[in-house]
C-alpha cells in the first residue's frame, strides 16, 4: 500500500485549488482564445452595431458566427507571408546549424581539454552574457555597414557561427558528465581529438544539442531586433518583422492581423506539444544550475 | 602538453574570434564613439565630454526615460517574481489535471513577442477590444489602455506578467529539487502548510529566485521591443524606455555618438545594480552546505 505523503491535500483543499487555478487561468488563456476567434470572424462581427459606439462583451462573442477562413488566405497574400516564412526558415536553418555546431566545439574545448588560461576565458565567456547588447550594437552596425552587409541577411547569419555563450555553458556541463574512459578508448585507437569529438562525443550529447537547437530556432523565429536593424528590403523580411510592418500598414484590419498572428504562433505551439520535454528540460536547467 | 594547449585553443577558436570581433572590439570602440559626434555617414569627430554634458544637463527626455525604466524595473521585476513563485507553488500541488494547468500558464510565454504585441493591441483596443468590452459588461468604461497616461505604462507591465510562465517553470523545477525529507521532518515537528512554505520552501528556493531577479533586472533595463511596437514611447514619453530612446537617438536622428554615451551609462548602471544585488545575496539567499 502506498504511504500517504505528508503533503497530500484534503478533498476540500483540492476543490479550492481547482477553483483558484481555473480563475487564474482565464487571463492567461483568454487573449489566445480571442486571437483565434477574431481570426475567424468577419468585420461585422467585431465592429459595433450601427447605433452603438462600442462593444459590450457577450459569451457568444467568443465564437465566430461563421468561420471566415478567407481571413487566413487574405493575410497570407497581403503579407506576403509565404515569402517571409521562407526567409525565416532559411535564417533559422543556418542559425541552428551554425550556433549548435560552433557552440559544441567550444564547449568540448572547455570541458575536456586542458589549456592555459582556460578558467579565465570561461569566466569571460559567462560574463559576456550580461553585457547589454546596446553597448556593442552601434560599432557592430558601423562595421557591418562598412562591409556592405547592411540590407543583406549576413548580419543575421554570420555571428551565429561564432558560438553562443549560453549554449556553450549548457553543453560544457553535458560533456563533463560523459565518462572519460570513452574518450580514452578513442585516444588509444589513435583517433584525433576532432574525431573523438565528432564521432564519440557529439552523438552522446544529442539531447543537449537538441535543446540548444530548439532554443536557437525559437530565438531566430522570434527575433525582431536583428531584422529591424539590418533589413531594408521587403523581399528579405522575416515573419516577425513582416508582422510588425503589417500591424503598421493594416493596423485596423483586426481579423486579418489576428489570422497572421495565429499563423505565426501556431508552429511554436505545435513544436511545444511535440517536444514538451525538451522545452521544459532546457528552461529548467537554465535556472537551476546557474 | 604544449600540443594539448594548442588543441584547446583550436576548439574554442570560434568563440574566441567571435568574442574579439563581436564583443571586445565593438565594446572598446563604443567607449571612443561616446566622445565623438558621429552620424555613420561621415567619420566620427572628437567632442570630448560634450555628449555626457548634453545628456546630464540639456536633455529632459533622457532623465524621463531613465525614470520610466527604473520604475519599470522596480514594478515589473518584483511583481513578476511574486506571481511566478506564487503560480509555481500552486502548480506544485498534487491534484488531478495539474499538467493541464501548467501548460495553460506556460503557453503565453512561448508566444512570439511580435504576435503577443499584435494580440494585446487588439485586446486593449478601447472601443472594440476584449478588455474594455468585458469591463463594459460589468458597467465600467475602461481607459484607452495603450494611448493614455498612466495606463500605457501599466499595460506594458501587465503584458510582461502575461508571459511570466517562463520563470514560473524555472521556479517549478526549483521546487522539485527540494528534498522531500525536509518536509517529512517538518510534519513530524507539527509544522502546518503555511510554516512549511515560509521556513522550508521559500528559503530553499532563494537561489533560483536570485537568479531570476538578476536576469529579470538586466532584461528590464533593456526593455525595448514591446514599447517600440505598441506605444512608440507615447503618450507624452510616458513609455519612453531607456533602450527605446537610445534606439531613436541612434537610428532616427543618427546621433550615434550621443547614443553610444547613453549605452555606456546603461552599461554602468546595469553592472552596478548587478554587483549590488550580488552584495545583498549572502543576506537572503540560502545555499545548502554553503556551496
Amino acid at each position: 500500500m502506498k504511504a500517504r505523503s505528508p503533503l497530500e491535500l484534503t478533498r476540500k483543499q483540492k476543490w479550492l485549488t481547482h477553483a483558484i487555478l481555473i480563475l487564474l487561468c482565464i487571463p492567461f488563456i483568454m487573449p489566445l482564445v480571442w486571437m483565434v476567434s477574431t481570426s475567424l470572424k468577419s468585420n461585422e462581427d467585431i465592429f459595433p452595431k450601427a447605433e452603438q459606439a462600442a462593444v459590450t462583451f457577450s459569451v457568444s462573442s467568443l465564437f465566430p458566427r461563421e468561420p471566415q477562413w478567407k481571413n487566413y488566405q487574405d493575410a497570407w497574400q497581403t503579407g506576403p507571408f509565404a515569402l517571409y516564412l521562407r526567409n525565416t526558415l532559411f535564417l533559422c536553418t543556418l542559425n541552428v546549424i551554425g550556433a549548435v555546431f560552433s557552440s559544441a566545439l567550444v564547449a568540448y574545448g572547455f570541458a575536456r581539454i586542458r589549456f592555459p588560461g582556460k578558467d579565465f576565458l570561461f569566466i569571460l565567456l559567462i560574463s559576456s552574457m550580461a553585457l547589454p547588447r546596446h553597448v556593442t550594437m552601434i560599432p557592430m552596425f558601423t562595421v557591418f555597414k562598412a562591409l556592405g552587409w547592411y540590407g543583406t541577411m549576413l548580419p543575421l547569419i554570420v555571428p551565429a557561427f561564432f558560438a553562443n555563450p549560453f549554449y556553450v555553458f549548457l553543453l560544457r556541463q553535458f560533456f563533463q558528465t560523459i565518462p572519460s574512459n570513452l574518450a580514452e578508448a578513442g585516444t588509444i585507437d589513435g583517433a584525433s581529438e576532432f574525431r573523438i569529438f565528432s564521432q564519440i562525443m557529439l552523438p552522446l550529447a544529442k539531447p543537449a544539442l537538441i535543446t540548444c537547437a530548439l532554443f536557437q530556432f525559437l530565438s531566430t523565429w522570434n527575433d525582431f531586433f536583428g531584422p529591424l536593424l539590418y533589413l531594408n528590403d521587403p523581399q528579405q523580411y522575416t515573419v516577425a518583422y513582416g508582422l510588425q510592418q503589417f500591424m503598421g500598414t493594416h493596423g485596423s484590419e483586426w481579423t486579418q492581423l489576428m489570422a497572421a498572428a495565429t499563423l505565426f504562433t501556431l508552429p511554436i505551439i505545435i513544436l511545444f506539444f511535440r517536444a514538451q520535454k525538451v522545452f521544459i528540460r532546457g528552461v529548467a536547467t537554465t535556472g537551476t544550475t546557474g | 602538453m604544449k600540443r594539448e594547449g594548442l588543441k584547446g585553443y583550436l576548439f574554442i577558436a570560434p568563440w574566441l574570434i567571435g568574442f574579439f570581433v563581436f564583443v571586445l572590439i565593438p565594446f572598446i570602440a563604443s567607449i571612443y564613439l561616446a566622445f565623438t559626434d558621429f552620424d555613420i555617414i561621415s567619420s566620427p569627430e572628437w567632442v570630448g565630454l560634450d555628449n555626457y554634458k548634453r545628456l546630464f544637463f540639456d536633455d529632459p527626455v533622457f532623465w524621463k526615460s531613465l525614470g520610466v525604466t527604473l520604475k519599470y524595473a522596480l514594478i515589473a521585476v518584483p511583481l513578476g517574481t511574486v506571481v511566478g513563485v506564487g503560480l509555481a507553488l500552486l502548480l506544485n500541488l498534487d491534484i488531478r489535471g495539474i499538467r493541464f494547468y501548467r501548460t495553460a500558464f506556460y503557453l503565453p510565454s512561448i508566444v512570439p513577442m511580435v504576435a503577443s504585441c499584435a494580440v494585446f493591441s487588439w485586446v486593449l483596443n478601447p472601443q472594440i477590444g476584449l478588455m474594455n468590452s468585458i469591463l463594459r459588461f460589468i458597467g465600467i468604461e475602461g481607459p484607452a489602455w495603450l494611448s493614455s497616461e498612466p495606463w500605457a505604462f501599466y499595460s506594458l507591465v501587465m503584458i510582461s506578467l502575461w508571459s511570466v510562465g517562463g520563470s514560473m517553470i524555472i521556479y517549478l523545477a526549483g521546487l522539485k529539487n527540494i528534498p522531500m525529507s525536509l518536509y517529512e521532518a517538518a510534519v513530524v515537528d507539527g509544522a502546518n502548510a503555511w510554516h512549511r512554505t515560509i521556513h522550508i520552501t521559500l528559503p530553499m528556493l532563494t537561489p533560483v529566485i536570485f537568479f531570476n531577479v538578476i536576469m529579470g533586472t538586466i532584461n528590464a533595463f533593456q526593455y525595448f521591443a514591446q514599447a517600440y511596437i505598441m506605444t512608440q514611447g507615447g503618450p507624452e514619453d510616458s513609455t519612453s524606455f531607456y533602450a527605446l530612446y537610445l534606439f531613436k537617438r541612434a537610428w532616427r536622428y543618427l546621433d550615434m555618438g550621443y547614443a553610444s554615451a547613453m549605452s555606456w551609462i546603461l552599461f554602468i548602471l546595469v553592472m552596478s545594480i548587478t554587483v549590488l544585488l550580488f552584495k545583498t545575496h549572502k543576506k537572503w539567499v540560502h545555499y545548502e552546505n554553503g556551496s
Side-chain angles (χ1 to χ4, degrees):
Chain A
M1 213 175 91
K2 203 178 127 215
R4 212 178 117 93
S5 153
L7 302 182
E8 207 160 291
L9 301 172
T10 65
R11 222 185 148 75
K12 220 169 101 190
Q13 284 170 324
K14 277 185 183 171
W15 282 111
L16 190 67
T17 314
H18 276 294
I20 295 172
L21 283 173
I22 288 169
L23 212 63
L24 289 175
C25 255
I26 293 170
F28 282 84
I29 286 306
M30 263 307 229
L32 292 177
V33 172
W34 195 244
M35 168 179 84
V36 177
S37 105
T38 305
S39 76
L40 292 170
K41 283 179 181 174
S42 65
N43 269 331
E44 294 93 82
D45 290 339
I46 66 165
F47 284 107
K49 308 286 167 288
E51 66 277 14
Q52 288 165 319
V55 175
T56 306
F57 179 76
S58 63
V59 176
S60 67
S61 73
L62 285 177
F63 309 98
R65 268 187 308 137
E66 217 178 292
Q68 307 285 315
W69 297 104
K70 209 174 141 307
N71 292 336
Y72 283 85
Q73 221 178 338
D74 291 346
W76 187 254
Q77 274 156 12
T78 13
F81 285 105
L83 174 71
Y84 298 162
L85 183 65
R86 213 176 322 133
N87 292 336
T88 307
L89 289 176
F90 173 70
L91 285 177
C92 283
T93 311
L94 287 179
N95 271 279
V96 167
I97 295 172
V100 171
F101 188 74
S102 61
S103 303
L105 209 58
V106 175
Y108 182 80
F110 277 119
R112 317 281 312 197
I113 305 176
R114 265 183 293 164
F115 57 89
K118 184 163 104 170
D119 294 339
F120 169 73
L121 288 173
F122 192 70
I123 290 171
L124 205 61
L125 175 126
I126 295 298
S127 35
S128 73
M129 280 195 272
L131 185 72
R133 63 167 175 228
H134 301 91
V135 181
T136 51
M137 115 190 135
I138 290 169
M140 284 238 298
F141 182 83
T142 316
V143 170
F144 283 139
K145 200 168 156 70
L147 287 170
W149 290 8
Y150 174 72
T152 75
M153 288 184 174
L154 286 170
L156 310 181
I157 298 168
V158 175
F161 285 80
F162 293 88
N164 174 311
F166 173 56
Y167 307 152
V168 171
F169 174 77
L170 278 184
L171 292 169
R172 172 180 163 268
Q173 288 206 313
F174 200 90
F175 284 133
Q176 280 175 334
T177 59
I178 296 174
S180 54
N181 53 6
L182 276 173
E184 273 154 19
T187 325
I188 293 160
D189 283 351
S192 72
E193 193 78 44
F194 186 77
R195 272 193 53 201
I196 298 173
F197 164 73
S198 61
Q199 291 179 357
I200 301 175
M201 290 300 184
L202 276 191
L204 287 172
K206 211 167 144 197
L209 294 174
I210 290 174
T211 303
C212 294
L214 178 73
F215 278 2
Q216 185 58 50
F217 178 84
L218 292 177
S219 100
T220 307
W221 180 270
N222 294 341
D223 184 27
F224 170 70
F225 198 66
L228 174 69
L229 277 196
Y230 291 110
L231 299 182
N232 61 359
D233 176 3
Q235 289 296 310
Q236 293 176 335
Y237 285 178
T238 60
V239 185
Y241 191 52
L243 185 63
Q244 188 260 342
Q245 295 290 312
F246 190 89
M247 275 177 82
T249 48
H250 302 265
S252 54
E253 287 166 49
W254 295 110
T255 57
Q256 275 191 47
L257 182 63
M258 287 306 110
T262 308
L263 283 175
F264 183 39
T265 308
L266 205 60
I268 303 301
I269 307 260
I270 292 171
L271 196 62
F272 169 73
F273 281 110
R274 305 235 26 199
Q276 212 161 348
K277 282 216 181 83
V278 186
F279 263 81
I280 305 298
R281 185 180 59 212
V283 178
T285 43
T286 315
T288 46
T289 55
Chain B
M1 200 62 235
K2 214 172 166 195
R3 272 196 52 198
E4 173 106 353
L6 185 68
K7 215 157 56 184
Y9 278 99
L10 276 177
F11 270 90
I12 67 160
W15 169 71
L16 208 55
I17 295 167
F19 180 75
F20 273 94
V21 177
F22 300 121
V23 181
L24 195 62
I25 294 170
F27 184 71
I28 293 164
S30 83
I31 306 181
Y32 166 71
L33 285 179
F35 293 107
T36 66
D37 190 10
F38 180 43
D39 62 1
I40 285 257
I41 301 144
S42 41
S43 51
E45 206 176 298
W46 184 266
V47 293
L49 283 169
D50 261 20
N51 289 328
Y52 289 100
K53 273 189 214 151
R54 265 166 70 206
L55 271 170
F56 287 124
F57 303 111
D58 288 329
D59 190 349
V61 184
F62 163 75
W63 289 108
K64 174 97 191 186
S65 64
L66 194 59
V68 169
T69 305
L70 276 174
K71 187 167 129 192
Y72 180 77
L74 283 173
I75 296 175
V77 177
L79 213 55
T81 311
V82 172
V83 173
V85 172
L87 286 178
L89 286 173
L90 277 173
L91 293 173
N92 196 34
L93 294 173
D94 183 24
I95 60 168
R96 193 175 293 188
I98 199 72
R99 287 175 58 118
F100 164 80
Y101 292 118
R102 281 180 198 157
T103 308
F105 288 107
Y106 180 65
L107 227 42
S109 73
I110 59 167
V111 172
M113 189 270 299
V114 181
S116 74
C117 290
V119 171
F120 276 98
S121 300
W122 167 228
V123 167
L124 298 178
N125 178 290
Q127 281 82 41
I128 54 176
L130 176 67
M131 185 73 158
N132 279 1
S133 77
I134 290 178
L135 287 176
R136 228 167 264 129
F137 182 72
I138 54 171
I140 300 170
E141 188 57 45
W145 292 97
L146 288 166
S147 53
S148 69
E149 232 180 317
W151 297 107
F153 178 84
Y154 292 105
S155 299
L156 295 179
V157 172
M158 192 171 73
I159 293 164
S160 83
L161 280 183
W162 188 61
S163 51
V164 75
S167 57
M168 176 200 81
I169 287 290
I170 300 178
Y171 292 127
L172 202 53
L175 289 175
K176 298 257 173 264
N177 284 343
I178 302 175
M180 198 40 102
S181 56
L182 286 179
Y183 292 110
E184 278 152 8
V187 169
V188 171
D189 289 345
N192 63 25
W194 173 251
H195 284 131
R196 288 197 301 264
T197 309
I198 294 297
H199 297 294
I200 301 172
T201 313
L202 289 180
M204 291 297 285
L205 202 58
T206 45
V208 185
I209 295 178
F210 180 68
F211 169 83
N212 269 301
V213 167
I214 293 266
M215 297 314 286
T217 311
I218 292 175
N219 287 332
F221 275 89
Q222 300 178 60
Y223 186 84
F224 166 80
Q226 288 88 338
Y228 177 86
I229 295 172
M230 287 185 286
T231 64
Q232 263 112 44
E236 312 219 357
D237 293 324
S238 65
T239 59
S240 175
F241 285 84
Y242 195 92
L244 181 60
Y245 182 52
L246 193 162
F247 179 86
K248 280 188 188 166
R249 272 283 157 193
W251 273 277
R252 209 157 286 171
Y253 309 115
L254 291 180
D255 213 349
M256 299 272 180
Y258 196 74
S260 297
M262 280 189 74
S263 77
W264 266 84
I265 295 170
L266 179 71
F267 172 64
I268 289 165
L269 254 173
V270 170
M271 281 300 129
S272 331
I273 290 170
T274 312
V275 168
L276 255 157
L277 282 172
F278 266 101
K279 283 231 162 108
T280 65
H281 99 297
K282 271 209 185 91
K283 290 212 179 88
W284 62 278
V285 180
H286 176 90
Y287 286 104
E288 201 70 351
N289 316 321
S291 64

